[in-house]
Amino acid sequence: MSSYLKELEKYRDIDEDEILKTLSPEELEQLDCELQEMDPENMLLPAGLRQRDQTKKSPTGPLDRQALLQYLEQQALEVKEREDLVPFTGEKKGKPYIEPKREIPAEEQITLEPELEQALANATDAEMCDIAAILGMYTLMSNKQYYDAICSGEICNTEGISSVVQPDKYKPVPDEPPNPTNIEEILKSVRNNDKELEEVNLNNIQDITVPMLTELCEAMKTNTHVRSFSLVATRSGDPIAHAVADMLRENRSLQSLNIESNFISSTGLMAVLKAVRENATVTELRVDNQQGPRARAAQAMTRNNELRRQQKKR
């Protein structure tokens, strides 16, 4: 230790500035590179800060990512593939695995009468499926096969137990065609009190604006020929419900009103129900499946779950 300290003593009085003055520009640049603190193992640093920039070539132009990818792909294609140490000949080695036959112990063997043995040996897959259903082996078949075999007194299954992996085939239900009703023409006919127009069906037309529906309800106040008015799944809310309520107070010919599957809240429904009490002609009213109460119920459940979560944290 003492020899090491003595070795350091001779550097104590060295003037660093004088040494730097004697260095050439190349040596100063090399010294600057050596003094840079780099951490090539730190993945949190950008690539430019992990190691020193050793590029001496001046840029040839802006970066062209597509050209660079094409160059790298071409270079990869030109590299000769390494030959396998042992060439593949397609020869199969070894023997295929054959599962050994398991002998059933004597205590597990079941002896049936000769007539039953012969009947089971000659039974078809459909008959075996029905027998399995009668014995309660419902895990060997689908629900449809099981209930068909139980509920019917005859051999009704024609597919056999092997069909358990096949799902039941159902006929696809096509979507309902779009409603071809022309809203502007309907509004014009309602305003003109067209005697041939007895039904207004705007079901599933979701791009009707609120002003258009409001004008239609306003025109229905004085109409005397429309008997059925349906606004199912038109995204109607409380403003439309109040417009319908105002219409019911003055209309004296409407018999059926259907506003199902909309976004009407309890306030809007109460307004419609109160208006129906003042109407003497409406005999059918449908207001089911409103999304407004469902949305409020969902919000209430979310709020309750959040309160319960906060109480658990305490």
Side-chain angles (χ1 to χ4, degrees):
M1 187 66 180
S2 58
S3 60
Y4 175 72
L5 294 176
K6 290 179 180 180
E7 185 69 20
L8 292 179
E9 285 294 334
K10 63 180 181 179
Y11 299 108
R12 182 182 299 276
D13 298 331
I14 292 178
D15 190 355
E16 292 86 355
D17 295 334
E18 291 295 333
I19 296 177
L20 292 175
K21 290 178 182 180
T22 60
L23 296 178
S24 63
E26 293 77 9
E27 293 174 337
L28 289 174
E29 184 179 357
Q30 183 179 1
L31 179 61
D32 182 55
C33 292
E34 294 295 337
L35 293 177
Q36 290 183 5
E37 295 183 1
M38 295 294 178
D39 188 2
E41 302 297 332
N42 190 352
M43 301 300 294
L44 300 178
L45 291 177
L49 300 180
R50 297 181 201 166
Q51 58 184 1
R52 293 186 296 273
D53 185 11
Q54 303 176 11
T55 304
K56 303 298 182 181
K57 183 180 178 182
S58 59
T60 57
L63 173 63
D64 189 346
R65 183 175 182 274
Q66 189 62 29
L68 177 60
L69 292 177
Q70 292 179 357
Y71 173 76
L72 295 176
E73 183 178 358
Q74 184 64 27
Q75 290 283 44
L77 293 175
E78 293 177 356
V79 174
K80 186 179 179 181
E81 295 184 0
R82 186 180 62 181
E83 296 182 359
D84 295 335
L85 298 178
V86 179
F88 176 73
T89 59
E91 179 184 359
K92 295 183 179 180
K93 297 182 179 181
K95 297 180 180 179
Y97 174 76
I98 300 176
E99 185 177 0
K101 295 182 179 180
R102 175 178 175 271
E103 296 183 1
I104 302 177
E107 59 272 10
E108 295 183 8
Q109 295 181 1
I110 299 176
T111 304
L112 300 177
E113 297 180 1
E115 294 81 2
L116 292 178
E117 288 279 1
Q118 184 178 3
L120 292 176
N122 299 328
T124 62
D125 289 344
E127 293 171 341
M128 292 295 294
C129 186
D130 279 15
I131 293 174
I134 295 173
L135 296 177
M137 301 177 181
Y138 53 86
T139 57
L140 299 178
M141 62 200 72
S142 64
N143 291 337
K144 183 177 182 301
Q145 291 175 325
Y146 178 73
Y147 287 109
D148 287 348
I150 292 296
C151 299
S152 177
E154 301 177 356
I155 301 297
C156 57
N157 191 334
T158 59
E159 298 177 348
I161 297 180
S162 60
S163 63
V164 65
V165 296
Q166 301 178 0
D168 297 332
K169 296 181 180 180
Y170 297 97
K171 295 182 180 180
V173 180
D175 296 334
E176 295 184 3
N179 194 332
T181 304
N182 190 317
I183 306 173
E184 295 181 355
E185 293 182 0
I186 289 294
L187 178 59
K188 183 178 179 180
S189 299
V190 172
R191 283 176 175 172
N192 296 334
N193 201 13
D194 187 356
K195 62 180 181 180
E196 295 182 357
L197 181 64
E198 296 185 357
E199 180 182 2
V200 175
N201 184 351
L202 304 180
N203 295 347
N204 301 315
I205 304 179
Q206 301 183 359
D207 56 351
I208 309 178
T209 61
V210 174
M212 181 67 71
L213 288 176
T214 305
E215 292 180 14
L216 186 59
C217 293
E218 187 69 23
M220 281 290 297
K221 290 181 180 180
T222 57
N223 188 281
T224 59
H225 296 287
V226 176
R227 299 290 183 265
S228 175
F229 190 50
S230 183
L231 300 176
V232 177
T234 56
R235 297 182 179 272
S236 299
D238 285 347
I240 304 302
H242 288 287
V244 170
D246 295 338
M247 178 267 294
L248 290 174
R249 293 188 179 93
E250 299 186 24
N251 185 280
R252 293 296 178 265
S253 63
L254 190 65
Q255 298 178 359
S256 175
L257 175 63
N258 190 346
I259 54 175
E260 293 178 334
S261 302
N262 282 301
F263 295 86
I264 303 175
S265 67
S266 57
T267 304
L269 292 179
M270 287 301 299
V272 174
L273 294 177
K274 290 180 181 179
V276 170
R277 295 177 58 183
E278 303 176 15
N279 187 291
T281 60
V282 174
T283 58
E284 182 183 20
L285 175 64
R286 297 184 179 183
V287 296
D288 294 339
N289 194 28
Q290 298 299 329
Q291 301 298 327
R294 290 187 179 184
R296 287 200 305 276
Q299 293 176 358
M301 288 188 292
T302 302
R303 183 178 62 253
N304 293 341
N305 291 333
E306 181 65 19
L307 292 175
R308 181 177 297 178
R309 185 181 65 83
Q310 293 178 358
Q311 291 175 356
K312 289 182 178 180
K313 286 185 176 180
R314 297 175 184 174

PDB file of all heavy atoms in Angstrom, residues 247-258:
ATOM      1  N   MET A 247     -99.872  14.767 -28.331  1.00  0.00           N
ATOM      2  CA  MET A 247    -100.682  14.292 -29.440  1.00  0.00           C
ATOM      3  C   MET A 247    -101.887  13.501 -28.956  1.00  0.00           C
ATOM      4  O   MET A 247    -103.006  13.633 -29.464  1.00  0.00           O
ATOM      5  CB  MET A 247     -99.813  13.447 -30.370  1.00  0.00           C
ATOM      6  CG  MET A 247    -100.540  12.840 -31.563  1.00  0.00           C
ATOM      7  SD  MET A 247    -101.170  11.174 -31.248  1.00  0.00           S
ATOM      8  CE  MET A 247     -99.653  10.273 -31.047  1.00  0.00           C
ATOM      9  N   LEU A 248    -101.704  12.664 -27.932  1.00  0.00           N
ATOM     10  CA  LEU A 248    -102.798  11.842 -27.424  1.00  0.00           C
ATOM     11  C   LEU A 248    -103.905  12.675 -26.798  1.00  0.00           C
ATOM     12  O   LEU A 248    -105.084  12.271 -26.810  1.00  0.00           O
ATOM     13  CB  LEU A 248    -102.247  10.841 -26.397  1.00  0.00           C
ATOM     14  CG  LEU A 248    -101.370   9.704 -26.955  1.00  0.00           C
ATOM     15  CD1 LEU A 248    -100.789   8.881 -25.821  1.00  0.00           C
ATOM     16  CD2 LEU A 248    -102.167   8.816 -27.896  1.00  0.00           C
ATOM     17  N   ARG A 249    -103.554  13.815 -26.259  1.00  0.00           N
ATOM     18  CA  ARG A 249    -104.576  14.659 -25.632  1.00  0.00           C
ATOM     19  C   ARG A 249    -105.529  15.277 -26.645  1.00  0.00           C
ATOM     20  O   ARG A 249    -106.655  15.650 -26.285  1.00  0.00           O
ATOM     21  CB  ARG A 249    -103.901  15.750 -24.803  1.00  0.00           C
ATOM     22  CG  ARG A 249    -103.137  15.232 -23.586  1.00  0.00           C
ATOM     23  CD  ARG A 249    -102.649  16.370 -22.708  1.00  0.00           C
ATOM     24  NE  ARG A 249    -101.942  15.881 -21.544  1.00  0.00           N
ATOM     25  CZ  ARG A 249    -100.627  15.706 -21.493  1.00  0.00           C
ATOM     26  NH1 ARG A 249     -99.883  16.003 -22.563  1.00  0.00           N
ATOM     27  NH2 ARG A 249    -100.054  15.254 -20.401  1.00  0.00           N
ATOM     28  N   GLU A 250    -105.115  15.385 -27.899  1.00  0.00           N
ATOM     29  CA  GLU A 250    -105.949  16.042 -28.905  1.00  0.00           C
ATOM     30  C   GLU A 250    -106.452  15.073 -29.974  1.00  0.00           C
ATOM     31  O   GLU A 250    -107.508  15.315 -30.567  1.00  0.00           O
ATOM     32  CB  GLU A 250    -105.167  17.172 -29.580  1.00  0.00           C
ATOM     33  CG  GLU A 250    -104.718  18.257 -28.616  1.00  0.00           C
ATOM     34  CD  GLU A 250    -104.073  19.434 -29.331  1.00  0.00           C
ATOM     35  OE1 GLU A 250    -104.379  19.630 -30.518  1.00  0.00           O
ATOM     36  OE2 GLU A 250    -103.278  20.149 -28.693  1.00  0.00           O
ATOM     37  N   ASN A 251    -105.724  13.995 -30.255  1.00  0.00           N
ATOM     38  CA  ASN A 251    -106.127  13.061 -31.302  1.00  0.00           C
ATOM     39  C   ASN A 251    -107.331  12.246 -30.845  1.00  0.00           C
ATOM     40  O   ASN A 251    -107.381  11.781 -29.703  1.00  0.00           O
ATOM     41  CB  ASN A 251    -104.964  12.136 -31.667  1.00  0.00           C
ATOM     42  CG  ASN A 251    -105.294  11.223 -32.823  1.00  0.00           C
ATOM     43  OD1 ASN A 251    -105.951  10.201 -32.642  1.00  0.00           O
ATOM     44  ND2 ASN A 251    -104.841  11.590 -34.018  1.00  0.00           N
ATOM     45  N   ARG A 252    -108.297  12.037 -31.773  1.00  0.00           N
ATOM     46  CA  ARG A 252    -109.513  11.311 -31.431  1.00  0.00           C
ATOM     47  C   ARG A 252    -109.784  10.146 -32.387  1.00  0.00           C
ATOM     48  O   ARG A 252    -110.915   9.666 -32.464  1.00  0.00           O
ATOM     49  CB  ARG A 252    -110.719  12.264 -31.456  1.00  0.00           C
ATOM     50  CG  ARG A 252    -110.681  13.332 -30.372  1.00  0.00           C
ATOM     51  CD  ARG A 252    -110.761  12.688 -28.989  1.00  0.00           C
ATOM     52  NE  ARG A 252    -110.677  13.662 -27.913  1.00  0.00           N
ATOM     53  CZ  ARG A 252    -109.566  13.981 -27.275  1.00  0.00           C
ATOM     54  NH1 ARG A 252    -108.401  13.416 -27.635  1.00  0.00           N
ATOM     55  NH2 ARG A 252    -109.559  14.853 -26.292  1.00  0.00           N
ATOM     56  N   SER A 253    -108.735   9.680 -33.083  1.00  0.00           N
ATOM     57  CA  SER A 253    -108.927   8.563 -34.005  1.00  0.00           C
ATOM     58  C   SER A 253    -107.938   7.432 -33.798  1.00  0.00           C
ATOM     59  O   SER A 253    -108.154   6.309 -34.266  1.00  0.00           O
ATOM     60  CB  SER A 253    -108.829   9.057 -35.456  1.00  0.00           C
ATOM     61  OG  SER A 253    -107.525   9.568 -35.698  1.00  0.00           O
ATOM     62  N   LEU A 254    -106.827   7.679 -33.122  1.00  0.00           N
ATOM     63  CA  LEU A 254    -105.785   6.668 -32.936  1.00  0.00           C
ATOM     64  C   LEU A 254    -106.269   5.556 -32.015  1.00  0.00           C
ATOM     65  O   LEU A 254    -106.869   5.819 -30.965  1.00  0.00           O
ATOM     66  CB  LEU A 254    -104.516   7.313 -32.361  1.00  0.00           C
ATOM     67  CG  LEU A 254    -103.269   6.435 -32.336  1.00  0.00           C
ATOM     68  CD1 LEU A 254    -102.822   6.102 -33.748  1.00  0.00           C
ATOM     69  CD2 LEU A 254    -102.138   7.128 -31.582  1.00  0.00           C
ATOM     70  N   GLN A 255    -105.980   4.309 -32.409  1.00  0.00           N
ATOM     71  CA  GLN A 255    -106.394   3.146 -31.616  1.00  0.00           C
ATOM     72  C   GLN A 255    -105.217   2.353 -31.059  1.00  0.00           C
ATOM     73  O   GLN A 255    -105.344   1.742 -30.003  1.00  0.00           O
ATOM     74  CB  GLN A 255    -107.265   2.221 -32.474  1.00  0.00           C
ATOM     75  CG  GLN A 255    -108.549   2.862 -32.966  1.00  0.00           C
ATOM     76  CD  GLN A 255    -109.356   1.936 -33.852  1.00  0.00           C
ATOM     77  OE1 GLN A 255    -108.948   0.797 -34.120  1.00  0.00           O
ATOM     78  NE2 GLN A 255    -110.516   2.409 -34.323  1.00  0.00           N
ATOM     79  N   SER A 256    -104.078   2.347 -31.773  1.00  0.00           N
ATOM     80  CA  SER A 256    -102.918   1.551 -31.346  1.00  0.00           C
ATOM     81  C   SER A 256    -101.678   2.429 -31.350  1.00  0.00           C
ATOM     82  O   SER A 256    -101.398   3.119 -32.346  1.00  0.00           O
ATOM     83  CB  SER A 256    -102.724   0.346 -32.275  1.00  0.00           C
ATOM     84  OG  SER A 256    -101.549  -0.365 -31.940  1.00  0.00           O
ATOM     85  N   LEU A 257    -100.904   2.375 -30.252  1.00  0.00           N
ATOM     86  CA  LEU A 257     -99.663   3.145 -30.113  1.00  0.00           C
ATOM     87  C   LEU A 257     -98.570   2.208 -29.614  1.00  0.00           C
ATOM     88  O   LEU A 257     -98.733   1.533 -28.594  1.00  0.00           O
ATOM     89  CB  LEU A 257     -99.845   4.308 -29.138  1.00  0.00           C
ATOM     90  CG  LEU A 257     -98.589   5.128 -28.821  1.00  0.00           C
ATOM     91  CD1 LEU A 257     -98.055   5.812 -30.070  1.00  0.00           C
ATOM     92  CD2 LEU A 257     -98.872   6.166 -27.734  1.00  0.00           C
ATOM     93  N   ASN A 258     -97.447   2.157 -30.334  1.00  0.00           N
ATOM     94  CA  ASN A 258     -96.333   1.266 -29.983  1.00  0.00           C
ATOM     95  C   ASN A 258     -95.042   2.083 -29.962  1.00  0.00           C
ATOM     96  O   ASN A 258     -94.598   2.572 -31.005  1.00  0.00           O
ATOM     97  CB  ASN A 258     -96.216   0.128 -30.995  1.00  0.00           C
ATOM     98  CG  ASN A 258     -95.251  -0.945 -30.541  1.00  0.00           C
ATOM     99  OD1 ASN A 258     -94.471  -0.749 -29.609  1.00  0.00           O
ATOM    100  ND2 ASN A 258     -95.267  -2.089 -31.206  1.00  0.00           N
TER     101      ASN A 258
END
